[in-house]
Amino acid sequence: MKPGPPDGPNKGCFMAVFSTSGQSFSVDGRRLWLVGAQLDYARIPASAWAERLHIIKEAGFNTIQTASPWLLHEPRKGKFNFKDSADVGHFCSLAAECGLNVLLQVGPSVGRSFDGGGLPYWLTLEDDVLLRSGTGLFMQHATKYLSRLISQILDLQMTKGGPIVAMQIENAWECSNEEESTRYIGELSRFLRESGITIPFTNANDLWAPDHGSVHTWRSQGQQLSDLRQLRMLQPEAPRLVSSLPLANTALLTESTEVKSGGLEMQRQIAEVLAAGGQFVLDNVNGGTNFGFLAGRLAGGEDRFVATAAVDGPLVGEAGIPTEGLSIIRRITTFSSSFGHVFSHLDPNFQPVVSTVRVKPNQYSKKNGSVSSVVTQTGGSGSVVFAFADGLKAKSQLLLPDGIEIPIDLGDQLVGWYLLDVDLCGAGRLDYGNVCPLTVVDRKVAVFFGAAGSAAHLSINGRPLQAVVPKGKEPLVIDHEGVTVVLCNQKQVDACLTHGEKLYYGASWTSLDGTPYLADECKEVRVLSSQESTVLPGQRQNKRASRSIKAKNWLACSQDELVSGTSPRFASLDGPSSLMSCGSPEGYGWYRIELRSKTDQKKKCLLPLGGDRLAWYLDGSFHHISGVGPGALEGQFDLKLSAGKHTLVVLADNLGRLDSGSDLHEVKGVGSELYEVKNLAGVKHRTIEADPISPFAMQPNVFGLGGGEQSQPTQFTWTIDHAKKSPLILDIRDCSIAGCFLLNDEPLIYYSGERGIKNKRVVISLERTDIMKRGKNTLRFAPNPGQEHPEQIVKALRILECVNTISNVSWGFARWEKPSTKSFDEVSTKEAKEKKGTPCWWRTEFDGASISRSSQPLWCDVSSMSKGQLYFNGNNVGRYFNATADGDNTKGQGLLSIPESWVLPEAPNEIVLFDEHGFSPFDVNMVRRDLGSRDT
C-alpha cells in the first residue's frame, strides 16, 4: 500500500485499524515487515532529503527511523520552528513518496549524540526543572512542545493513510524507578493518545522501565539471536524490533574511534536478528552533518565531544555518496524487504534449539570456515533457513524435510540464507534452493547468488533446476517455469539493484534522476523486466578528488581588544555566570575578570565550575588553556602576578552537552569564582560498613539502577576538620564508580560515574549549604550496587581548601559573534602568519563559477587550521579541531561538508572562519570529492 498524500483525497476519509502480533505490525490485517535505516533529517539539508531517501530505498530498506530533536524545533522558549530543515512533515511526506515507512522518535529526549540529547538549553535555566522527569514544570514544557510537533504529523500516521508506522517515546530511559516511570513516560503516553496519536508506541529503554502500552524494542548488545529470543519470552504478544543496530561509531571531535566490525560481520548480525524472527533498524548507515552546534557529548570520558561529521565510516558517506561497504549489507536488506511476506508470517512460537552463534570481531578464518549453526524459522508463508559459519569458505549439507539433501557453499560470507516452500512474489513457488535469494522484480525476474563455481540447486513449481554459479563477469540468466532466474556469484550480485519494476545489472547505485553509476569492472548496465531487456550506458563514478581551489585573498578581523579586555563590548556582570545565563547558549563567550594583587606572588589556582575548554589571557598575553581535550591543562594552574591591577580574559568554549543520562545540567563557561587553592590538611579516610541508602532518595531518575536497589554496605568516609569560613572543593577525577555523596549523613550529590561526567567538582561552604558545619564534618560515599573495585573513588577524590578568591575587583562579559563585513582588513601571507597565537576571524570569497555544482560533493579543507568554527554564505557549517595552540595534530576532521544548496553559482561565495589560535588560512581550499575525511 502506498500511503496517500497528507493533503490529498485520503486525508480524513478513513481510519485504518492498526494492530500488533507476536511477529509483526498490521494495518487493516495486512502485515508489515520493517527493514529500517536511521536517517536523521536534522543532519541533512532539506534540499538533499529526497536524494538521501532514494539511496536508502535503493539499498534495500523499506523503512526509515528519524529523530525529532526538541532543540531544533524550539531553539528559544516559545519560539517554534518547523520550516526548511526543521519541516518534519515534509520529510515524512517525501519518505512516503519514496515508498518508505517511517518510525518517528519524538523524545522529549532523543539522545543520538545531539547536544543535550535534543533538549533545548533554556530548560536548564529554570531552577525547578528536573530534566527527563515527571515533575510539573518539565512536563508543562514537554507537552507544549509535543503538541506543536504532533500538529505537523497528525495526518501522516499510517492509520490515516500516511507513512508513520510507530512513534518512539523517550530514548534510553534506563531507570527502574516504577513510580517515576509512570509519572513521566506513562503520562507522556496518555498525553499523546489524547492528542490523536493512534499508531503504536515503541520504547528504546532496554526493558529498564515498564512498557506503558508501548512495544519494547532492543538496542544491539552484539548477541542478536539470544537477546531477541529472550525478548520474545518477555513480551510474547508483540513483534521483536531492534531499534538500533549500529553499523559505525559516532565520530568524536579529536578521538579516533574503534573501527566497527566489517560488512560481512554486520551482515551476519542482521541475519541473527532475522533468524530470531526480528525486525531491525540499522543505525549510522548515513550519519549526516552536525551543522552549527547540533553536536553533543557522549558519556564515559571527558573528551568524548561529537564531531561535525556525525559518524565515522558510514556506508553512505556524510555528503550522501554510497561506499563500497554498502553492497554487502544490501544483499541481506534487499532480501529481507523482498520477502517480508515470509518473515511477517513466521510462527513466533517456533523457537527450535540451535547451536550458539558466536564469532569474535575480525577473528574469523579467511579460508577454513565451517558451518557452526543452522537456524530454521517457519510459518504460514514458508520457511527460512540461516546457516552461520565461523569463517569464510564454509561448506555443508542441508537435509530438507522431504529427505532431499542439498549442498551449501557460503563462499565469502559468514552466513547463508535459503527459502523453502515460498511464493516468489507472484512469479512462481520456490520449493527449495541452496543459493541465497536476493529479490524478485516485476513478478518475473528472480535473482539468486552463491559462491562462484558452486553447484546451484533450485526447484520452482515442483521442477528442479541445476546449474553452476558463474565465475566470470556476467550472471547466468535462465528461463525456468515461467520465471527468469538470474544467477550471480557474490561479486556479481553487488552490481544488481532494483530500480522501480526493473532489475539493473552493472550498476552500483543510481542518482535521484535515475542515472545509473557503473559498478566496478562493468562497462554498461543491463535492464531486465517482464517487458524488456535493454542496455544503458551508465556513468562512471569519479572516486578521485577534483582540483582544489584556493582563495587568493584573505581578510582578518583581529580580536586584540577582546583579548586585552579593553573592548567596549564587555558588559558588567555581578559575578561568575554560565554561558547560558549570559545569553550565549552555543559556541563561545568572552569573560573579563579584573583583579588586584597586593604583592608579587605565585598562586595555585582552580576554577571549580568551568567548561568545556577555556583559553586564558593575562594582561593581553596568552597564558594557558584549561579544561578538556588535547593541549589543555586539567585542574589547577599556576598564576604569577606582580603587585597591582591585572586583567584576566577567558575565551570559553561550549563543546556540547551530554546526550543521555541525568548529568544534563552542565555548567558551560565560567560558573564559579576563581580560587587560590591548596590540599586540605588532616583529611582522614576510612572504609566502613554502613546501612545501604537509596540513590532514588537523591533524584528520581537514576540511570543504570533497578527499582529498590540500594547502595553497597561497604562505604568510604573522609573526616574533614575545617574551622574556617572558606569554601572547600571536592575534586573527583576520572572515576567510573557511581554512587551517593553525603555530608554529615545528609544527601550532597549523586555522582554518575561512567554514565555521566567523570570529572566533577563540588564547592561546599557554610554559605552554600546548611549541612556543613564549622569544625569536624564527615563526608561519606555510598557506591551503587554491582560495581567492581568501588575503592577507586578513594584515589579519584581530592579535597581542596579555597585559600583566597582571585577575582576580587569586577566581572564582565562580551558575546562571541561573527563580525560585520566592514570589520575585516586585507592581510598578506606574512601578516597572517604573524597573527598566530591570538584568536582571529578570517574572511574570503570564492567565485561561484569555480565551485558551482558538479557530480561530486563540495568540501572545505580546513586541515591547516587549529580549532574553531566555519561559516559558508552565512550558514554555520560546524566545528573543527585539527591542531593545538602549539601545532600538534589532534586527528580531527579536515574536510567539512558544504551542502550544494548553499552554493551561489553566479555570485561570490563567502567563507568566514573563526580560529582560536589565529592560524593562517592561506592553505584553506575548496575541493570536490566523493568522500570526506571521516568517511574513509
Side-chain angles (χ1 to χ4, degrees):
M1 177 182 74
K2 184 175 181 179
D7 295 319
N10 288 340
K11 183 178 179 181
C13 294
F14 68 91
M15 178 68 73
V17 177
F18 215 118
S19 61
T20 60
S21 67
Q23 186 60 19
S24 66
F25 298 99
S26 298
V27 181
D28 285 342
R30 183 180 65 86
R31 297 195 180 193
L32 301 175
W33 188 254
L34 307 180
V35 179
Q38 184 83 31
L39 196 66
D40 291 322
Y41 61 87
R43 292 182 165 121
I44 305 169
S47 59
W49 283 349
E51 190 171 50
R52 214 66 59 92
L53 289 164
H54 165 75
I55 290 171
I56 293 298
K57 175 69 174 179
E58 197 167 76
F61 299 94
N62 62 26
T63 301
I64 56 108
Q65 182 168 270
T66 194
S68 295
W70 186 351
L71 60 78
L72 178 69
H73 296 298
E74 194 180 1
R76 302 290 183 268
K77 184 179 177 180
K79 304 296 183 182
F80 293 96
N81 174 30
F82 291 99
K83 296 180 180 179
D84 301 322
S85 290
D87 192 345
V88 57
H90 180 53
F91 179 79
C92 293
S93 295
L94 288 175
E97 292 176 13
C98 201
L100 292 165
N101 305 309
V102 176
L103 299 170
L104 187 64
Q105 299 164 303
V106 299
S109 173
V110 296
R112 302 208 45 72
S113 74
F114 284 112
D115 180 37
L119 298 177
Y121 82 92
W122 51 263
L123 289 168
T124 64
L125 297 178
E126 302 188 31
D127 294 335
D128 296 331
V129 172
L130 180 58
L131 301 181
R132 306 183 70 189
S133 78
T135 54
L137 197 51
F138 179 74
M139 287 296 287
Q140 286 180 30
H141 292 312
T143 52
K144 182 178 179 181
Y145 156 66
L146 288 172
S147 292
R148 296 296 292 267
L149 177 64
I150 291 166
S151 69
Q152 306 296 311
I153 54 90
L154 191 64
D155 291 328
L156 293 169
Q157 300 176 84
M158 190 162 280
T159 48
K160 295 189 175 185
I164 304 177
V165 175
M167 183 175 288
Q168 179 186 307
I169 303 173
E170 253 292 337
N171 184 73
W173 206 84
E174 297 176 346
C175 172
S176 289
N177 184 342
E178 189 167 344
E179 181 180 345
E180 177 63 15
S181 169
T182 300
R183 185 170 61 164
Y184 177 44
I185 299 178
E187 182 63 17
L188 286 173
S189 300
R190 183 198 63 78
F191 172 79
L192 291 170
R193 284 286 180 236
E194 291 181 356
S195 300
I197 300 301
T198 54
I199 53 177
F201 292 145
T202 63
N203 70 74
N205 305 324
D206 290 347
L207 304 175
W208 281 90
D211 59 67
H212 298 294
S214 64
V215 174
H216 284 300
T217 71
W218 191 248
R219 293 178 299 145
S220 172
Q221 304 296 320
Q223 297 180 10
Q224 322 303 335
L225 185 60
S226 60
D227 288 345
L228 290 181
R229 284 191 167 201
Q230 293 178 48
L231 184 62
R232 163 69 187 159
M233 300 304 294
L234 292 169
Q235 54 171 21
E237 301 303 320
R240 285 147 287 179
L241 174 63
V242 177
S243 57
S244 176
L245 182 58
L247 285 163
N249 286 314
T250 299
L252 301 181
L253 195 59
T254 59
E255 182 180 323
S256 297
T257 58
E258 181 183 351
V259 176
K260 275 281 184 188
S261 300
L264 291 175
E265 293 179 62
M266 288 308 304
Q267 183 192 71
R268 181 192 58 77
Q269 288 195 43
I270 295 169
E272 281 194 52
V273 175
L274 294 169
Q279 302 165 83
F280 58 87
V281 176
L282 298 191
D283 207 347
N284 295 342
V285 176
N286 168 242
T289 304
N290 286 308
F291 295 111
F293 302 107
L294 274 179
R297 176 185 187 182
L298 306 183
E302 288 310 293
D303 194 22
R304 304 195 72 205
F305 295 98
V306 179
T308 299
V311 172
D312 269 332
L315 295 182
V316 178
E318 181 185 354
I321 301 296
T323 68
E324 293 180 1
L326 183 64
S327 58
I328 295 175
I329 301 300
R330 188 170 65 189
R331 300 174 193 174
I332 196 164
T333 53
T334 301
F335 159 67
S336 48
S337 289
S338 299
F339 294 95
H341 62 287
V342 179
F343 286 104
S344 62
H345 285 85
L346 293 175
D347 180 0
N349 297 313
F350 182 71
Q351 301 287 344
V353 176
V354 298
S355 301
T356 302
V357 177
R358 198 158 291 168
V359 177
K360 292 183 179 180
N362 302 315
Q363 294 185 22
Y364 56 86
S365 169
K366 301 296 191 293
K367 57 182 179 180
N368 297 312
S370 60
V371 173
S372 57
S373 182
V374 176
V375 183
T376 300
Q377 287 284 356
T378 189
S381 294
S383 301
V384 191
V385 179
F386 292 90
F388 296 92
D390 57 11
L392 304 184
K393 312 300 182 184
K395 298 180 182 180
S396 188
Q397 300 282 121
L398 294 181
L399 181 62
L400 304 185
D402 59 4
I404 294 176
E405 193 170 349
I406 55 175
I408 56 172
D409 186 343
L410 274 59
D412 291 327
Q413 290 192 164
L414 292 169
V415 61
W417 51 89
Y418 314 98
L419 295 176
L420 307 176
D421 193 24
V422 163
D423 174 41
L424 290 174
C425 306
R429 191 155 199 88
L430 178 67
D431 307 308
Y432 62 81
N434 72 334
V435 281
C436 298
L438 179 73
T439 188
V440 177
V441 178
D442 199 17
R443 299 193 177 191
K444 173 71 175 179
V445 182
V447 184
F448 299 86
F449 68 95
S454 65
H457 296 262
L458 296 167
S459 178
I460 298 175
N461 298 333
R463 185 181 173 191
L465 168 66
Q466 294 186 15
V468 176
V469 177
K471 293 182 178 181
K473 297 180 180 180
E474 294 295 322
L476 182 64
V477 181
I478 306 169
D479 286 327
H480 182 73
E481 286 294 301
V483 179
T484 301
V485 176
V486 179
L487 186 59
C488 304
N489 62 39
Q490 290 168 333
K491 186 174 183 180
Q492 291 168 352
V493 76
D494 294 337
C496 286
L497 60 86
T498 302
H499 186 76
E501 294 298 319
K502 299 176 181 179
L503 177 72
Y504 280 16
Y505 173 72
S508 56
W509 57 289
T510 69
S511 64
L512 186 60
D513 64 6
T515 301
Y517 282 82
L518 292 170
D520 289 344
E521 300 182 12
C522 293
K523 297 181 180 180
E524 60 185 18
V525 177
R526 291 175 58 186
V527 181
L528 288 175
S529 71
S530 62
Q531 303 296 322
E532 63 177 317
S533 176
T534 59
V535 173
L536 295 176
Q539 182 171 322
R540 184 68 64 187
Q541 186 176 352
N542 184 5
K543 296 184 180 181
R544 285 192 259 176
S546 63
R547 180 178 62 89
S548 61
I549 307 160
K550 285 187 180 181
K552 295 180 180 179
N553 301 308
W554 281 92
L555 295 89
C557 180
S558 172
Q559 302 295 281
D560 291 345
E561 282 192 343
L562 287 162
V563 168
S564 65
T566 59
S567 171
R569 289 174 48 203
F570 279 104
S572 62
L573 286 176
D574 293 334
S577 300
S578 69
L579 284 170
M580 295 174 185
S581 298
C582 292
S584 296
E586 302 167 325
Y588 301 85
W590 293 93
Y591 290 86
R592 182 180 64 192
I593 307 170
E594 294 183 332
L595 52 100
R596 190 180 300 277
S597 179
K598 295 180 180 180
T599 61
D600 293 352
Q601 54 188 307
K602 182 178 180 180
K603 301 174 183 289
K604 189 162 291 290
C605 301
L606 179 68
L607 182 72
L609 303 181
D612 296 308
R613 192 175 168 93
L614 311 176
W616 296 78
Y617 301 87
L618 177 61
D619 298 329
S621 297
F622 176 73
H623 191 269
H624 78 287
I625 292 174
S626 67
V628 296
L633 297 175
E634 293 189 18
Q636 303 173 33
F637 62 91
D638 291 329
L639 184 63
K640 188 176 182 180
L641 300 172
S642 59
K645 187 177 179 181
H646 297 277
T647 300
L648 272 175
V649 169
V650 181
L651 175 61
D653 184 12
N654 171 3
L655 287 168
R657 296 169 292 154
L658 284 174
D659 77 332
S660 60
S662 53
D663 283 355
L664 298 176
H665 288 270
E666 298 180 60
V667 175
K668 306 291 188 178
V670 180
S672 67
E673 298 282 359
L674 177 64
Y675 294 106
E676 180 183 1
V677 298
K678 68 177 182 179
N679 289 338
L680 183 67
V683 176
K684 297 180 180 179
H685 153 258
R686 287 197 307 145
T687 301
I688 65 169
E689 296 295 316
D691 291 337
I693 66 171
S694 171
F696 292 110
M698 286 194 158
Q699 61 184 51
N701 50 357
V702 179
F703 293 98
L705 205 61
E709 286 191 279
Q710 295 188 314
S711 67
Q712 299 182 30
T714 301
Q715 300 174 17
F716 308 93
T717 65
W718 295 261
T719 301
I720 304 171
D721 194 349
H722 187 59
K724 303 176 184 178
K725 290 184 178 181
S726 57
L728 300 178
I729 299 173
L730 307 184
D731 189 8
I732 311 164
R733 310 302 295 167
D734 196 25
C735 185
S736 300
I737 303 302
C740 301
F741 278 99
L742 300 94
L743 185 63
N744 299 323
D745 290 328
E746 294 293 332
L748 182 63
I749 64 160
Y750 177 77
Y751 177 70
S752 300
E754 192 71 30
R755 287 179 173 266
I757 301 173
K758 296 172 70 175
N759 288 2
K760 197 162 190 172
R761 298 185 183 95
V762 182
V763 180
I764 54 175
S765 66
L766 295 172
E767 296 177 354
R768 288 173 178 265
T769 175
D770 57 5
I771 63 175
M772 185 179 179
K773 55 189 178 183
R774 185 174 293 186
K776 285 191 176 181
N777 293 267
T778 300
L779 179 70
R780 176 157 59 111
F781 180 74
N784 284 357
Q787 299 179 108
E788 296 181 355
H789 306 296
E791 67 278 2
Q792 290 178 28
I793 193 68
V794 177
K795 294 182 179 180
L797 174 66
R798 292 185 306 163
I799 301 176
L800 306 175
E801 178 185 356
C802 299
V803 178
N804 191 20
T805 302
I806 302 296
S807 47
N808 52 18
V809 177
S810 66
W811 286 77
F813 182 82
R815 297 188 64 168
W816 172 85
E817 53 192 11
K818 188 158 62 77
S820 63
T821 302
K822 64 181 181 180
S823 302
F824 290 86
D825 298 313
E826 190 168 344
V827 292
S828 66
T829 306
K830 181 180 178 182
E831 290 170 330
K833 290 180 179 179
E834 291 173 351
K835 292 185 178 296
K836 185 176 181 180
T838 303
C840 189
W841 286 90
W842 303 98
R843 180 183 180 275
T844 193
E845 290 183 349
F846 286 86
D847 177 59
S850 66
I851 60 172
S852 59
R853 187 173 183 86
S854 79
S855 60
Q856 291 184 294
L858 180 66
W859 307 83
C860 184
D861 185 349
V862 292
S863 57
S864 61
M865 305 303 289
S866 66
K867 178 177 180 295
Q869 207 79 19
L870 170 67
Y871 292 81
F872 184 88
N873 286 337
N875 300 289
N876 191 336
V877 179
R879 300 182 178 98
Y880 63 86
F881 189 0
N882 295 309
T884 65
D886 295 329
D888 294 336
N889 188 284
T890 63
K891 300 180 181 179
Q893 181 179 349
L895 296 174
L896 298 186
S897 176
I898 308 297
E900 204 65 50
S901 58
W902 294 0
V903 177
L904 305 174
E906 298 179 359
N909 288 259
E910 180 192 61
I911 288 280
V912 174
L913 287 164
F914 173 74
D915 197 82
E916 284 185 35
H917 306 299
F919 278 32
S920 170
F922 276 86
D923 285 329
V924 171
N925 59 79
M926 306 298 293
V927 62
R928 286 198 176 272
R929 52 183 285 175
D930 286 341
L931 302 177
S933 50
R934 291 301 186 111
D935 289 332
T936 55

